[in-house]
Amino acid sequence: MNAYLITQLKQGRLNKGLKQSDVTKLTGIKNTTLSNYENGITEPDIDTFLLLCELYHLNYATILAEAYGLKISGTDFNIKPSEMECIEKYRNLDDFGRETVDMIIEREAYRTAQAKEAADTSKRLLYQENEKS
């Protein structure tokens, strides 16, 4: 299940001051089922998702768009509304601002690539150790 969607459903319930048992009484959804949704074990079908959004007063379209992104026509690329907001802000920056943001993005992309490479190497070495045993 999508982590953003899980967070929004759980936070929606908490923001309404509802316990899982309250939601069970109001909707008929079993407490264990609701717990499985909030812990990412299973996900609600669309009707149940819409029911929970209505109960929690959540905008289902906004949640789905942010959780799964919007498909960019003619590409294999999805973009989330929050990312579109960042792009809009970026476009309004002056040259110095864009240069600063670009520098930070490059540095962070390098840092995360290095961390991923180190984690992959560690996993590979651990796998090789287990194969020898």
Side-chain angles (χ1 to χ4, degrees):
M1 183 175 204
N2 184 288
Y4 179 81
L5 198 136
I6 292 168
T7 302
Q8 293 303 301
L9 287 178
K10 186 173 185 175
Q11 196 58 52
R13 178 179 60 78
L14 295 173
N15 289 346
K16 285 294 177 188
L18 297 170
K19 296 182 214 165
Q20 287 183 347
S21 59
D22 298 328
V23 176
T24 294
K25 290 174 189 168
L26 293 167
T27 64
I29 300 169
K30 292 180 184 176
N31 192 294
T32 53
T33 302
L34 187 62
S35 178
N36 286 343
Y37 296 159
E38 292 186 3
N39 290 307
I41 297 168
T42 59
E43 61 182 57
D45 60 35
I46 190 66
D47 291 329
T48 305
F49 172 72
L50 294 174
L51 175 66
L52 292 172
C53 284
E54 184 177 332
L55 178 63
Y56 303 156
H57 297 154
L58 300 173
N59 184 319
Y60 67 88
T62 301
I63 292 172
L64 290 174
E66 188 63 32
Y68 297 105
L70 306 170
K71 178 84 170 115
I72 304 300
S73 181
T75 71
D76 189 24
F77 188 76
N78 290 354
I79 189 166
K80 298 177 180 183
S82 60
E83 293 168 334
M84 288 189 287
E85 288 175 22
C86 288
I87 291 168
E88 190 172 324
K89 289 175 185 176
Y90 179 85
R91 287 180 175 170
N92 289 324
L93 296 174
D94 60 15
D95 289 342
F96 178 80
R98 280 190 297 278
E99 185 178 313
T100 302
V101 170
D102 291 344
M103 180 181 62
I104 291 169
I105 289 173
E106 287 299 319
R107 187 179 76 201
E108 286 301 298
Y110 178 78
R111 183 188 62 79
T112 54
Q114 293 297 99
K116 182 181 180 326
E117 186 178 318
D120 290 347
T121 300
S122 179
K123 286 178 190 175
R124 190 170 42 256
L125 292 173
L126 184 60
Y127 178 76
Q128 290 171 351
E129 286 284 322
N130 288 336
E131 286 292 305
K132 290 178 182 177
S133 301

